[in-house]
């Protein structure tokens, strides 16, 4: 009696295709990762030497944390190339014809492909939501520690933020040691500045958000336009401003896990921040890009399952063109979203919608 357990609906053919799919994908990603690391090391070896960066930090703090982001950036492209490469090869060896002639429908043939796409999409989603933000924190710390030009890479020289409706803060010369050369808090009444607090050589406690300075001044303007001026000592004030908000928004949100990103978005909404579109683009992109794995897989199979003059090279050429077109569409519509020209959710998902339509069309034209 055969007691061997098998996955319901999972056949030898499925294992064959899935093994080729994931094997080609992993091999392609591994090869390009090794090449990239070699080139990156050759470019940065002088920096490593000058800063006396230890090998343990270079390997475990920099490259180990650098690799997940790279894999995720090229995941869609190499999913596409992997599908086209081995499917085209099967088509030219008449394996696809044999499968369809043997009674396997094209829809059934897609099952192992989508199973592989599910694995890659879940991997990409996990990287986007949790792993990459954590690894980016480590990469930023490494660059700030060992690369001179990155000492203050996450902070602009001049920072202007809204902290409450009608209240703004200006910070100049903020650095990683939580000090700033100048701080100004402006209180507006409509378009008129009613009060300004100014201080030099300020320090902030990231845990309590309290700002301190030895001296500060307060300028006030009453409703009749009369100005008053006070010079005071020992500033110790609480500002509704997280230290993370002082960073360049696009770099700061890249280091936030999805829970932190959602909280940060709500925080900025309550303050009426002008960075809301940037944050929403980041959040939608983290979901939209992994979902594209299924679309690109379907396009890849539909394109490469038919014999055409030009062989595998033609399939790969057409596939890469479509894939880079998808990446270009992503970048273009992200800019529309950031500028407010289109609703963020719609703009980020438009490339997926367009290519889903292309995928369905190609699927209908694929050999049955």
């Amino acid at each position: 009696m055969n007691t061997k357990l098998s996955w319901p609906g999972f056949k030898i053919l499925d294992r064959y295709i899935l093994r080729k799919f994931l094997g080609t994908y992993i091999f392609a990603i591994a090869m390009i990762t090794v090449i990239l690391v070699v080139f990156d090391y050759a470019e940065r070896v002088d920096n490593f030497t000058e800063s006396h960066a230890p090998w343990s930090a270079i390997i475990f703090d920099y490259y180990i944390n650098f690799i997940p982001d790279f894999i995720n950036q090229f995941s869609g492209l190499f999913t596409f190339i992997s599908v086209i490469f081995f499917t085209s090869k099967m088509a030219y060896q008449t394996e696809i014809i044999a499968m369809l002639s043997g009674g396997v429908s094209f829809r059934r043939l897609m099952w192992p492909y989508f199973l592989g796409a599910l694995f890659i999409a879940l991997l990409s989603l996990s990287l986007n939501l949790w792993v990459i933000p954590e690894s980016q924190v480590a990469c930023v710390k490494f660059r700030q520690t060992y690369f001179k030009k990155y000492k203050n890479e996450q902070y602009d020289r001049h920072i202007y933020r809204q902290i409450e409706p009608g209240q703004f803060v200006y910070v100049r010369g903020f650095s990683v040691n939580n000090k700033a050369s100048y701080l100004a808090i402006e209180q507006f009444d409509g378009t008129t500045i009613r009060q300004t607090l100014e201080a030099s050589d300020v320090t902030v406690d990231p845990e309590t958000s309290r700002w301190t300075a030895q001296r500060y001044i307060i300028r006030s303007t009453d409703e009749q336009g009369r100005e008053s001026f006070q010079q005071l000592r020992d500033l110790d004030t609480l500002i509704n401003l997280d230290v993370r908000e002082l960073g360049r928004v696009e770099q700061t949100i890249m280091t936030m896990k999805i829970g932190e990103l959602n909280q940060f978005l709500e925080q900025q909404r309550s303050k009426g921040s002008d960075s809301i579109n940037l944050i929403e683009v980041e959040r939608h992109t983290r979901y939209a890009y992994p979902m594209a794995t299924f679309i690109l897989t379907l396009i890849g199979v539909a394109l490469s399952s038919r014999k055409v003059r030009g062989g595998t090279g033609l399939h790969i050429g057409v596939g890469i063109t479509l894939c880079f077109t998808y990446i270009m569409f992503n970048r273009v519509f992200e800019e529309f979203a950031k500028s407010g020209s289109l609703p963020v959710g719609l703009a980020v998902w438009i490339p997926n919608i367009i290519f889903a339509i292309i995928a369905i069309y190609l699927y209908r034209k694929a050999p049955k």
Side-chain angles (χ1 to χ4, degrees):
M1 180 179 178
N2 187 3
T3 59
K4 184 178 180 180
L5 296 176
S6 61
W7 193 344
F10 198 70
K11 309 297 183 184
I12 294 175
L13 176 62
D14 300 319
R15 289 196 294 272
Y16 174 72
I17 293 175
L18 187 60
R19 185 171 64 249
K20 280 185 170 291
F21 183 3
L22 295 181
T24 307
Y25 171 82
I26 293 170
F27 177 78
I29 286 287
M31 287 295 294
I32 198 65
T33 300
V34 169
I35 293 170
L36 183 72
V37 167
V38 169
F39 275 96
D40 186 79
Y41 179 79
E43 180 183 350
R44 301 186 185 277
V45 63
D46 291 338
N47 289 326
F48 294 147
T49 304
E50 290 174 8
S51 61
H52 304 290
W55 275 105
S56 58
I58 294 172
I59 295 171
F60 296 106
D61 294 341
Y62 182 62
Y63 282 114
I64 292 297
N65 290 298
F66 165 80
I67 289 172
D69 186 35
F70 172 78
I71 290 175
N72 195 57
Q73 286 183 33
F74 289 90
S75 179
L77 175 62
F78 282 100
T79 297
F80 206 34
I81 291 175
S82 299
V83 168
I84 286 178
F85 181 77
F86 82 84
T87 305
S88 179
K89 189 175 179 180
M90 288 197 302
Y92 277 85
Q93 292 175 345
T94 66
E95 291 180 69
I96 299 291
I97 295 175
M99 294 173 191
L100 297 176
S101 300
V104 177
S105 67
F106 193 78
R107 179 183 296 181
R108 177 62 181 81
L109 188 66
M110 290 299 305
W111 158 244
Y113 284 99
F114 273 95
L115 192 61
L118 176 63
F119 172 82
I120 295 171
L122 290 177
L123 173 64
S124 179
L125 191 63
S126 300
L127 291 174
N128 270 339
L129 299 185
W130 299 290
V131 178
I132 290 175
E134 189 71 28
S135 67
Q136 285 298 305
V137 172
C139 282
V140 168
K141 287 181 179 178
F142 180 89
R143 288 195 295 263
Q144 290 174 347
T145 302
Y146 297 106
F147 298 159
K148 289 181 180 179
K149 68 176 182 179
Y150 292 117
K151 290 292 183 184
N152 292 308
E153 69 166 339
Q154 65 187 115
Y155 302 112
D156 289 317
R157 174 66 178 167
H158 304 279
I159 302 167
Y160 198 64
R161 298 283 188 268
Q162 180 170 329
I163 56 176
E164 300 286 353
Q167 190 174 44
F168 295 81
V169 62
Y170 168 70
V171 180
R172 184 175 66 225
F174 191 79
S175 60
V176 292
N177 58 2
N178 298 319
K179 295 179 182 291
S181 60
Y182 178 77
L183 167 72
I185 304 173
E186 301 170 343
Q187 184 67 52
F188 282 78
D189 181 9
T191 58
T192 304
I193 299 179
R194 289 299 181 195
Q195 187 179 81
T196 303
L197 181 152
E198 300 176 45
S200 299
D201 299 323
V202 249
T203 302
V204 60
D205 183 341
E207 299 297 327
T208 62
S209 296
R210 300 196 75 86
W211 295 70
T212 57
Q214 291 185 350
R215 295 181 179 83
Y216 65 104
I217 61 175
I218 294 179
R219 305 175 190 271
S220 302
T221 305
D222 62 21
E223 294 182 357
Q224 284 73 42
R226 294 186 296 249
E227 294 186 4
S228 60
F229 178 86
Q230 293 177 281
Q231 282 188 313
L232 304 167
R233 296 180 62 87
D234 299 325
L235 172 68
D236 186 359
T237 185
L238 179 66
I239 302 178
N240 183 23
L241 183 71
D242 193 314
V243 171
R244 294 178 302 176
E245 297 178 63
L246 296 173
R248 295 174 182 170
V249 176
E250 291 191 5
Q251 292 188 10
T252 301
I253 58 181
M254 287 176 61
T255 63
M256 294 181 179
K257 297 178 183 177
I258 190 62
E260 297 171 323
L261 186 66
N262 288 333
Q263 291 176 1
F264 188 66
L265 176 59
E266 292 306 315
Q267 183 188 68
Q268 296 304 295
R269 277 189 178 139
S270 68
K271 295 180 179 182
S273 170
D274 58 0
S275 301
I276 291 174
N277 282 356
L278 290 176
I279 303 168
E280 286 194 329
V281 166
E282 174 70 16
R283 186 178 65 162
H284 280 283
T285 301
R286 292 191 185 186
Y287 292 99
Y289 190 69
M291 293 304 104
T293 304
F294 296 101
I295 299 169
L296 295 175
T297 298
L298 180 57
I299 292 175
V301 178
L303 274 177
S304 56
S305 58
R306 184 193 301 272
K307 280 188 178 183
V308 294
R309 185 175 298 176
T312 303
L314 179 62
H315 285 150
I316 292 178
V318 173
I320 290 177
T321 300
L322 280 172
C323 199
F324 276 106
T325 303
Y326 171 79
I327 293 172
M328 182 191 70
F329 273 32
N330 267 328
R331 297 295 178 264
V332 170
F333 282 102
E334 279 180 19
E335 293 305 316
F336 284 150
K338 290 174 183 178
S339 65
S341 302
L342 288 172
V344 174
L346 176 63
V348 173
W349 287 90
I350 276 179
N352 280 9
I353 295 170
I354 292 173
F355 276 77
I357 294 171
I358 294 173
I360 292 170
Y361 172 79
L362 293 174
Y363 171 77
R364 291 181 178 277
K365 294 293 183 180
K368 301 296 192 295

